Amino acid sequence: MSSMAGFIILLFIGVPVAFVLGLTTLIYIYSTGNIAALQSLPSKMFNGLQNFGFVAIPLFVLLGEIMNRGGITNRLIHFATVLIGHLRGGLAYVNVVANMFLAAIVGSANVQTAIMTKVIVPEMEKQGYDKEFSTALTASSSIMGPLIPPSMPFILYGVSSGVSIGSLFYAGIIPGILFALGFAVIIFVTFRKTKSNIIKRSSGKEILQSLLYVLPALFIPVLIMAGITTGVFTATESAAVAVFVAILIGAFVYKELKFKDVPGILLRTIITTSSVSFLLATTNIFGWALHLQGIPHMIADFFLNIAGSTLVFLILLNILLIVIGTFLEGPAGIIFLTPILLPIALQFGVDPIHLGAIIVINLTIGLMHPPFGTVLYIASANTGVSVERLSVKLIPFLLVMVGILLLITYVPATTTYIPSLFAPK
């Protein structure tokens, strides 16, 4: 009880999640008097990181840093503007489409929000769009970051569950498209009677020029998926190849990546990777402490006793994940929950790929709402829109997210169909 109380108190006073997990473990050890267990903590933290699949994380982080510094973001937004900017509410559609493109590069909702709120929200405001709506749309569209491959949350789930990371990448494609379509419906309803904010239609020549201009950037996610699909690369190897190609494109095609940028790129990659690695290490010892207390067995017994069918299990699973997603960030939640939930889900006949999508989507939605939603606070800090006003504007988007989540939950083919096409025969 003392460790649980410590966990809740530390979270509510704003201690970073990685430290919360580590400190809660220490509280548990001291409360039980098992001081000798302290000697094994360093090895348990280190052993939790000894997995080749984790090498993909710094490589994909590095890839995102290189492509962002190489001027990719502005080219993607320009291409989306040329394609659909002439529609009513065109720049709002551009926001969603550009987020889809960026999701294929960044793979993180937090990073995507940080980039897009600085780039596209000011432009939408100049064009007369409501700042609060623009910020809410940008924050919501970032949910596609962890879904459309490559995706850091899917890498973490794959490593934690033993599921093919390539299959998980494919599992996120249809959900990502569904969320884009859902946001497009909100935009259509909002701007259906608006005659302003319309950009002049681009000519065929302008569209072709913009496509050729952005094609090298779009080639990289295609290369990643093609390499994994054909078996030429593992997910980790594809990340390394993509980094090499991104350097060539940024330095010699777009000519915006300079040698002087390398130290900053590497520093940001190290900081991000170190944060994730420390989180992985503390999650490992926290999970160990939970197992000593029998918490996973209690959760399993709860589901098995209450849920008499797969339908009920999936309802309870979504409720549990949404509640946990309110307090735990995505990576911590995935690493902590996957070993607990996967065996239970298998007993109810839930496909591991389908389960991964449900976990990732739920925990990503948790980033969008109070009290601890990091996407919410990043968007608020970058645009100046208060968290309270932004939370109100996010309500229609959250309702659409939950509706799509339920569709994905009860129609497993939305996540398993594409991976099945590329499964070994």
Side-chain angles (χ1 to χ4, degrees):
M1 290 299 293
S2 59
S3 59
M4 184 58 65
F7 177 80
I8 295 172
I9 292 171
L10 290 170
L11 271 180
F12 270 94
I13 64 176
V15 176
V17 174
F19 289 99
V20 170
L21 299 177
L23 291 172
T24 303
T25 303
L26 291 177
I27 292 172
Y28 167 73
I29 290 174
Y30 279 108
S31 66
T32 59
N34 186 18
I35 307 302
L38 291 173
Q39 298 178 357
S40 64
L41 287 188
S43 63
K44 289 185 181 297
M45 294 177 72
F46 179 76
N47 291 338
L49 300 177
Q50 288 186 306
N51 190 311
F52 180 70
F54 286 144
V55 179
I57 294 174
L59 289 173
F60 277 119
V61 172
L62 178 60
L63 175 63
E65 290 290 344
I66 291 170
M67 294 192 70
N68 287 332
R69 186 62 191 86
I72 305 300
T73 304
N74 290 332
R75 287 172 171 82
L76 293 172
I77 293 175
H78 179 263
F79 178 56
T81 304
V82 167
L83 280 180
I84 57 175
H86 60 278
L87 302 174
R88 290 181 179 179
L91 207 52
Y93 289 113
V94 167
N95 191 327
V96 175
V97 174
N99 266 289
M100 289 185 72
F101 288 150
L102 196 62
I105 297 170
V106 175
S108 164
N110 286 331
V111 175
Q112 197 157 315
T113 301
I115 294 170
M116 294 300 287
T117 48
K118 291 179 181 178
V119 175
I120 200 166
V121 172
E123 186 61 31
M124 291 182 71
E125 195 176 5
K126 287 180 188 177
Q127 296 289 337
Y129 289 80
D130 177 70
K131 186 177 183 180
E132 294 175 357
F133 173 84
S134 302
T135 304
L137 174 63
T138 305
S140 300
S141 297
S142 70
I143 194 175
M144 294 180 286
L147 297 179
I148 297 175
S151 161
M152 187 185 298
F154 276 139
I155 293 172
L156 292 175
Y157 176 80
V159 171
S160 301
S161 65
V163 177
S164 163
I165 293 174
S167 295
L168 292 168
F169 281 179
Y170 282 116
I173 293 175
I174 292 178
I177 293 172
L178 288 175
F179 279 107
L181 293 174
F183 300 147
V185 170
I186 294 177
I187 295 169
F188 175 79
V189 172
T190 303
F191 295 100
R192 66 187 185 280
K193 295 181 180 179
T194 302
K195 294 185 178 179
S196 58
N197 303 332
I198 298 177
I199 301 172
K200 180 183 176 182
R201 183 188 293 269
S202 300
S203 66
K205 181 180 179 181
E206 290 172 326
I207 293 175
L208 180 60
Q209 287 177 338
S210 181
L211 173 62
L212 294 175
Y213 201 46
V214 80
L215 211 52
L218 299 179
F219 169 73
I220 293 178
V222 173
L223 172 67
I224 292 170
M225 297 310 300
I228 295 174
T229 303
T230 58
V232 175
F233 311 131
T234 64
T236 303
E237 291 164 348
S238 71
V241 173
V243 166
F244 176 71
V245 174
I247 291 173
L248 296 180
I249 291 173
F252 301 108
V253 178
Y254 292 145
K255 298 181 179 179
E256 291 193 22
L257 184 63
K258 308 297 183 184
F259 184 77
K260 65 180 181 180
D261 301 323
V262 173
I265 289 172
L266 293 178
L267 178 62
R268 289 189 294 273
T269 301
I270 291 169
I271 291 172
T272 302
T273 304
S274 299
S275 300
V276 174
S277 298
F278 184 58
L279 179 59
L280 290 169
T282 55
T283 302
N284 190 57
I285 60 170
F286 182 69
W288 167 74
L290 289 180
H291 277 283
L292 290 180
Q293 299 174 76
I295 302 297
H297 294 293
M298 292 170 58
I299 295 174
D301 290 341
F302 169 78
F303 276 114
L304 294 173
N305 292 330
I306 300 298
S309 65
T310 302
L311 177 69
V312 177
F313 168 71
L314 290 173
I315 292 173
L316 294 174
L317 176 64
N318 278 315
I319 294 172
L320 173 69
L321 289 171
I322 286 178
V323 172
I324 291 180
T326 303
F327 300 96
L328 277 183
E329 292 184 6
I334 291 167
I335 301 161
F336 164 51
L337 291 170
T338 299
I340 298 174
L341 295 177
L342 182 58
I344 305 171
L346 290 175
Q347 293 188 55
F348 284 97
V350 178
D351 188 289
I353 294 175
H354 186 209
L355 175 68
I358 293 173
I359 291 176
V360 169
I361 293 170
N362 267 292
L363 295 180
T364 304
I365 290 176
L367 299 175
M368 308 288 167
H369 58 76
F372 300 109
T374 51
V375 162
L376 190 69
Y377 291 100
I378 291 170
S380 174
N382 283 353
T383 63
V385 177
S386 70
V387 171
E388 294 76 16
R389 291 298 306 160
L390 183 54
S391 298
V392 172
K393 286 289 185 179
L394 277 171
I395 290 174
F397 296 97
L398 287 172
L399 291 175
V400 167
M401 290 180 200
V402 172
I404 295 173
L405 171 62
L406 292 175
L407 173 64
I408 292 168
T409 298
Y410 294 109
V411 184
T414 54
T415 59
T416 59
Y417 176 69
I418 295 182
S420 70
L421 297 177
F422 299 96
K425 303 300 181 183

